[in-house]
């Protein structure tokens, strides 16, 4: 006697309970706190905030804890939370030129106004496991220098622009509001504002691979790191009812301006062009990758031949979102037996027909 | 909303805020006005993964009212894990009554099947759709496929079906079999088996299709002509089964194959669990079944 499988409801509840248990791990080991994640796994928090499109360190840390360190799962938690939040307006455009710099480097100039500021970076560390850290790490206090509040860090791209050697930033058009792909479905071709929004929340691994591919000849655009800067920028919000602008606080940002070659055209002299990358927190790899891909996606605008994946807007924008990607890939875990049954029936029919056909033609040699 | 669970407190009825529901309802109205046309909508991130029914869930959330009775099926069954999960979601966030009985439901959300029982005019069938574009695997670009639909240029699809006939002697498409809706748009019926295609034709129930990840909603209004694509000399044929359901003896339902041992033993049972259960309650018994509730006589 056959009894159909039942009890999905209880199985789900029990699976979730087991998951909670596994998340906690050995209860003799102290539980990790969200402050610890925020402070000591801060780059993971930065990535979750960036791809989750929500600047909230506490919530990102909570999501990482709840997701057992699975960052895509944590990003998903943040996205699902973010989408329920009311929108009460838009901030003023951020001015990264007024950033309180913690790191700023340029690979196009040896020295420049404001200087090169290395800041906290893995660059030039030797990747040797620090076994002492396994016990505990109580590092020496950092070396400090007096803060020069008058110090000015002009953006490298603004310096080059003074000679008209690089394209200028397109002026803002107040009649054309900035798009938002979380409120309006993305349509193709997409304008650069939407492309940048898509890339800014895109999967770091995907952006990295695409950016890398442009360096290996799949949509090459001869990049130089004009500048990478990381630090705090004030977010300002205009309250129309009161007619004044208030500060909402500051966010940590990483900005990358890639400077790329442009050979010129019949109507335009040769000049440098730009690829732009921006990320919450300290996420240099994603800001750099984003700027490479942004520049590659401008192929049409700059009259370049479009033949590589990184230049293909529909391909890039449709597959950059890791929450969409992981959902659709992982949905293959769901039951598909109805469709599989239909395929089984067809396969059996085709094999029957194949056998019949072959035995007709070679009656004595039938398999 | 007394049944609203602790962790859903603070969310609106049926989870989505009213502004979002209004946006989705507008898309649904447009979809009904242009049968088979894929309406882009600002799909939201839902608390379940893309590909797991976020489109269907958003459509259901937008049309659900407190007096609705909801049924959720996956592969025709009410007790598959994802159907259970989605049903619980609406029990928690909307507190609506849920049912497994097709006849009692006013809204039925489904993945991969259309119930066997004929649907009525007061019912809405909401499909979860993974890939809404019937031309997607012929042409990957959205810019291209939208143009093809605008021009009603469906030659590609006919060539693809013809190639099957040339190669295999028949159309080798068994699910998500393309249909022409109201003489105008070629539409993907979602991955339902082609066995179910005829049920869409002139159905009394409103049929809504939600694709969350792809951000599209489309519809078949009640009593609309829905024709499975075919050729005069190769007419559409729904899948037929060679044996009845082993539990209830039904000969007119879609069957799942169940492997019963490791020696090639297998049986075929209704994929629509409610259909099977109600037939057994009526006293129908299949080869391997036992009669349900009112015990009459023991089967083999």
């Amino acid at each position: 006697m056959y009894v159909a499988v039942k009890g999905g409801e209880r199985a789900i509840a029990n699976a979730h309970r087991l998951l909670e248990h596994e998340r906690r791990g050995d209860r003799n080991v102290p539980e990790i706190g969200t402050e610890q994640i925020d402070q000591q796994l801060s780059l993971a928090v930065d990535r979750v905030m960036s791809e989750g499109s929500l600047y909230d360190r506490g919530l990102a840390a909570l999501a990482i804890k709840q997701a057992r360190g699975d960052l895509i799962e944590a990003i998903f938690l943040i996205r699902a939370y973010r989408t329920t939040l009311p929108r009460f307006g838009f901030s003023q455009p951020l001015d990264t030129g007024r950033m309180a710099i913690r790191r700023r480097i340029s690979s196009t100039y040896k020295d420049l106004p404001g200087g090169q500021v290395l800041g906290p970076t893995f660059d030039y560390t030797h990747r040797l496991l620090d076994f002492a850290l396994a016990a505990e790490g109580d590092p020496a206090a950092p070396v400090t220098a007096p803060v020069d509040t008058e110090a000015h860090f002009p953006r490298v791209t603004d310096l080059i622009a003074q000679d008209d050697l690089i394209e200028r930033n397109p002026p803002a058009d107040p009649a054309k509001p900035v798009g938002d792909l979380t409120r309006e479905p993305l349509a193709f071709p997409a304008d650069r504002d939407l492309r940048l929004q898509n890339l800014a929340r895109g999967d770091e691994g995907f952006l990295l691979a695409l950016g890398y591919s442009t360096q290996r000849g799949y949509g090459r655009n001869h990049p130089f790191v004009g500048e990478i800067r990381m630090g705090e920028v004030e977010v300002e919000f205009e309250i129309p009812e009161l007619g004044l602008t208030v500060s909402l606080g500051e966010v940590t940002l990483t900005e990358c301006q890639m400077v790329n070659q442009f050979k010129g055209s019949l109507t335009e002299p040769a000049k440098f062009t730009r690829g732009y990358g921006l990320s919450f927190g300290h996420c240099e790899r994603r800001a750099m990758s984003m700027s490479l891909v942004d520049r590659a996606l401008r192929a049409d605008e700059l009259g370049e031949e479009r033949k590589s994946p990184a230049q293909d807007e529909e391909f890039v924008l449709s597959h950059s979102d890791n929450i969409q990607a992981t959902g659709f890939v992982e949905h293959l875990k769901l039951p598909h037996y109805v469709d599989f049954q239909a395929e089984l029936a067809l396969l059996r029919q085709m094999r029957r027909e194949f056998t019949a056909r072959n035995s007709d033609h070679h009656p004595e040699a039938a398999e | 909303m007394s049944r609203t669970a602790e962790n859903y407190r603070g969310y609106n009825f049926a989870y989505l805020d009213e502004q979002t529901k209004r946006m989705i309802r507008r898309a649904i109205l447009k979809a009904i006005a242009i049968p088979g046309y894929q309406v882009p909508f600002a799909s939201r991130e839902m608390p379940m993964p893309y590909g797991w029914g976020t489109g269907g869930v958003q459509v259901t959330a937008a049309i659900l009212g407190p007096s609705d009775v909801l049924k959720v099926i996956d592969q025709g069954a009410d007790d598959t894990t994802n159907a259970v999960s989605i049903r619980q979601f609406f029990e928690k966030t909307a507190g609506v009554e849920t049912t497994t009985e097709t006849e009692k439901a006013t809204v039925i959300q489904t993945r991969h099947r259309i119930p066997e029982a004929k649907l009525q005019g007061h019912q809405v069938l909401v499909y979860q759709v993974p890939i809404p574009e019937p031309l997607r695997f012929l042409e990957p670009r959205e810019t291209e496929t939208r143009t093809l639909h605008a021009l009603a240029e469906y030659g590609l699809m006919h060539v693809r079906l013809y190639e099957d006939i040339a190669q295999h002697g028949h159309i080798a498409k068994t699910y998500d079999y393309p249909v022409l809706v109201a003489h105008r748009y070629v539409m993907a019926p979602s991955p339902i088996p082609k066995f179910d295609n005829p049920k869409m034709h002139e159905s009394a129930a409103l049929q809504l299709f939600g694709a969350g990840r792809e951000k599209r909603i489309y519809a078949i209004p009640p009593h609309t002509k829905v024709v499975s694509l075919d050729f005069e000399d190769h007419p559409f044929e729904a899948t037929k089964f060679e044996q009845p359901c082993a539990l209830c003896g039904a000969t007119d339902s879609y069957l799942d194959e169940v492997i019963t041992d490791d020696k090639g033993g297998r049986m075929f049972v209704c994929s629509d669990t409610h259909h099977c259960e109600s037939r057994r309650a009526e006293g129908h018994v299949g080869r391997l079944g036992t009669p349900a509730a009112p015990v009459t006589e023991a089967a083999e």
Side-chain angles (χ1 to χ4, degrees):
Chain A
M1 222 289 292
Y2 171 75
V3 181
V5 186
K6 288 268 182 190
E9 217 154 309
R10 235 180 77 207
I12 291 175
N14 287 341
H16 292 170
R17 204 166 138 182
L18 179 59
L19 176 72
E20 282 297 285
H21 174 76
E22 298 271 311
R23 179 190 60 67
R24 178 58 183 86
D26 184 347
R27 284 171 208 238
N28 293 320
V29 175
E31 183 166 357
I32 193 169
T34 53
E35 296 95 346
Q36 289 171 305
I37 295 172
D38 176 10
Q39 291 299 311
Q40 297 174 41
L41 298 176
S42 58
L43 299 184
V45 170
D46 287 348
R47 179 172 175 194
V48 170
M49 292 196 304
S50 296
E51 293 172 39
S53 297
L54 184 72
Y55 196 93
D56 189 316
R57 299 196 68 83
L59 289 180
L62 172 62
I64 292 168
K65 178 177 175 178
Q66 190 179 331
R68 306 173 64 193
D70 178 339
L71 295 191
I72 291 186
E73 184 65 31
I75 292 160
F76 186 7
L77 288 167
I78 292 298
R79 289 271 192 95
Y81 173 75
R82 174 195 195 270
T83 194
T84 65
L85 299 176
R87 310 292 157 102
F88 55 85
F90 297 90
S91 76
Q92 295 293 304
L94 299 182
D95 184 358
T96 53
R98 285 169 52 203
M99 177 183 280
I101 296 284
R102 282 201 280 148
R103 170 166 166 79
R104 187 271 200 121
I105 54 161
S106 168
S107 67
T108 52
Y109 293 98
K110 182 176 169 129
D111 199 7
L112 63 165
Q116 309 259 17
V117 180
L118 280 185
T121 178
F122 289 115
D123 298 350
Y124 319 114
T125 62
H126 295 145
R127 270 61 171 201
L128 302 171
L129 274 177
D130 178 1
F131 295 107
L133 187 60
E136 62 184 25
D138 192 11
V143 181
T144 56
V147 175
D148 180 0
T149 48
E150 297 301 303
H152 183 49
F153 293 87
R155 282 177 297 217
V156 171
T157 44
D158 295 340
L159 296 173
I160 312 176
Q162 287 169 2
D163 298 334
D164 207 26
L165 289 178
I166 191 166
E167 61 173 336
R168 301 199 178 261
N169 270 336
D173 181 357
K176 200 164 167 273
V178 176
D180 182 354
L181 57 80
T182 68
R183 298 282 119 175
E184 291 292 327
L186 189 60
F188 299 108
D191 287 337
R192 194 170 173 207
D193 54 347
L194 287 167
R195 295 203 304 253
L196 287 170
Q197 184 190 12
N198 177 289
L199 297 178
R201 53 200 257 129
D203 180 74
E204 180 169 313
F206 181 77
L207 297 178
L208 176 66
L210 279 178
Y212 177 44
S213 73
T214 67
Q215 291 179 284
R216 291 196 65 262
Y218 290 85
R220 180 143 194 244
N221 49 41
H222 309 276
F224 297 96
V225 171
E227 186 185 72
I228 293 168
R229 54 172 60 203
M230 185 273 289
E232 280 64 45
V233 178
E234 201 167 29
V235 181
E236 291 177 328
F237 185 76
E238 191 189 335
I239 304 172
E241 292 89 339
L242 303 179
L244 49 89
T245 301
V246 295
S247 170
L248 298 180
E250 51 186 30
V251 294
T252 303
L253 293 175
T254 305
E255 181 185 57
C256 174
Q257 300 235 31
M258 211 59 91
V259 174
N260 308 71
Q261 208 178 66
F262 172 57
K263 291 206 176 74
S265 65
L266 286 176
T267 52
E268 296 238 25
K271 63 170 67 169
F272 289 118
T273 54
R274 309 178 193 210
Y276 187 76
L278 186 71
S279 172
F280 282 149
H282 190 182
C283 297
E284 237 162 84
R285 185 186 302 119
R286 65 177 293 109
M288 292 178 74
S289 305
M290 175 178 168
S291 57
L292 288 173
V293 179
D294 169 50
R295 176 59 183 77
L297 287 174
R298 298 179 63 201
D300 270 359
E301 174 197 342
L302 298 169
E304 295 164 341
E305 192 185 359
R306 220 173 61 157
K307 56 184 179 187
S308 299
Q311 299 168 310
D312 186 330
E313 175 181 282
E314 278 209 49
F315 178 80
V316 174
L317 303 189
S318 300
H319 302 111
S320 60
D321 191 295
N322 55 22
I323 302 308
Q324 291 176 7
T326 198
F328 202 45
V329 166
E330 294 198 48
H331 107 284
L332 294 171
K333 290 183 280 194
L334 292 179
H336 282 78
Y337 39 77
V338 161
D339 294 345
F340 186 70
Q341 186 57 45
E343 292 285 82
L344 262 182
L346 176 69
L347 196 66
R348 284 180 180 140
Q349 183 191 346
M350 287 164 81
R351 289 176 67 92
R352 265 198 312 274
E353 288 165 0
F354 176 84
T355 311
R357 221 169 29 238
N358 282 16
S359 55
D360 284 353
H361 294 164
H362 316 283
E364 65 284 350
E367 294 165 48
Chain B
M1 262 188 276
S2 55
R3 280 194 274 162
T4 298
E6 199 62 10
N7 52 337
Y8 287 91
R9 208 156 274 164
Y11 289 107
N12 193 28
F13 175 80
Y15 184 76
L16 293 175
D17 60 281
E18 292 303 316
Q19 279 299 102
T20 299
K21 286 186 191 174
R22 191 165 78 155
M23 174 273 293
I24 296 172
R25 287 175 192 146
R26 282 180 172 167
I28 292 173
L29 288 175
K30 181 168 178 181
I32 294 170
I34 318 173
Y37 170 75
Q38 301 166 50
V39 183
F41 81 112
S43 175
R44 296 291 190 256
E45 267 131 347
M46 299 300 285
M48 60 275 287
Y50 287 114
W52 298 54
T54 56
V57 167
Q58 289 179 76
V59 168
T60 298
I63 63 171
L64 211 57
S67 59
D68 271 312
V69 180
L70 178 68
K71 172 181 165 83
V72 183
I73 50 172
D74 185 344
Q75 314 293 301
D78 297 274
D79 57 358
T80 33
T81 43
N82 203 40
V84 170
S85 162
I86 291 173
R87 186 165 57 244
Q88 283 180 340
F89 177 74
F90 284 113
E91 282 171 355
K92 284 176 186 165
T93 60
V96 293
E97 190 186 334
T98 57
T99 182
T100 58
E101 290 175 45
T102 306
E103 295 78 8
K104 269 179 95 174
T106 57
V107 176
I108 302 172
Q109 180 168 329
T110 181
R111 176 168 173 266
H112 294 196
R113 276 309 312 274
I114 298 176
E116 307 292 1
K118 201 177 166 87
L119 300 182
Q120 307 300 320
H122 67 284
Q123 296 181 302
V124 183
L125 185 59
V126 179
Y127 296 75
Q128 300 171 202
V129 181
I131 302 277
E133 178 50 72
L135 306 172
R136 180 57 68 239
F137 300 114
L138 304 169
E139 168 52 62
R141 274 166 214 290
E142 185 68 14
T143 38
E144 288 295 319
T145 51
R146 288 190 77 78
T147 309
L148 293 174
H149 281 294
L151 301 173
E153 174 52 68
Y154 296 125
L156 266 181
M157 180 61 88
H158 283 108
V159 168
R160 184 244 187 254
L161 298 178
Y162 171 75
E163 280 175 351
D164 273 2
I165 292 171
Q167 205 178 339
H168 309 294
H170 44 79
I171 293 168
K173 193 146 176 68
T174 56
Y175 60 90
D176 211 352
Y177 189 104
V179 293
L180 185 68
V181 179
H183 311 290
R184 176 57 180 84
Y185 284 98
V186 165
M187 186 196 92
S190 85
I192 57 171
K194 68 175 185 173
F195 176 91
D196 283 338
N197 273 20
K199 296 178 191 160
M200 290 186 286
H201 179 57
E202 296 191 340
S203 167
L206 170 63
Q207 301 174 76
L208 299 175
F209 298 77
R213 191 178 41 77
E214 300 279 340
K215 302 176 172 53
R216 296 288 183 273
I217 285 173
Y218 51 102
I220 303 174
H223 308 291
T224 301
K225 290 207 181 334
V226 179
V227 180
S228 300
L229 298 185
D230 61 1
F231 298 96
E232 275 172 19
D233 50 344
H234 283 275
F236 172 81
E237 230 181 305
T239 311
K240 286 192 198 75
F241 289 88
E242 286 155 10
Q243 45 187 304
C245 168
L247 296 181
C248 77
T251 53
D252 57 350
S253 65
Y254 191 83
L255 303 178
D256 287 334
E257 184 171 336
V258 179
I259 297 177
T260 51
D261 56 37
D262 57 0
K263 299 180 185 66
R266 57 197 66 209
M267 64 189 284
F268 288 85
V269 294
C270 287
S271 104
D272 184 335
T273 47
H274 171 65
H275 182 71
C276 200
E277 279 158 18
S278 45
R279 275 181 55 81
R280 278 181 286 155
E282 286 163 14
H284 299 280
V285 182
R287 189 171 59 87
L288 299 174
T290 47
V295 181
T296 45
E297 65 185 67
E300 42 187 303

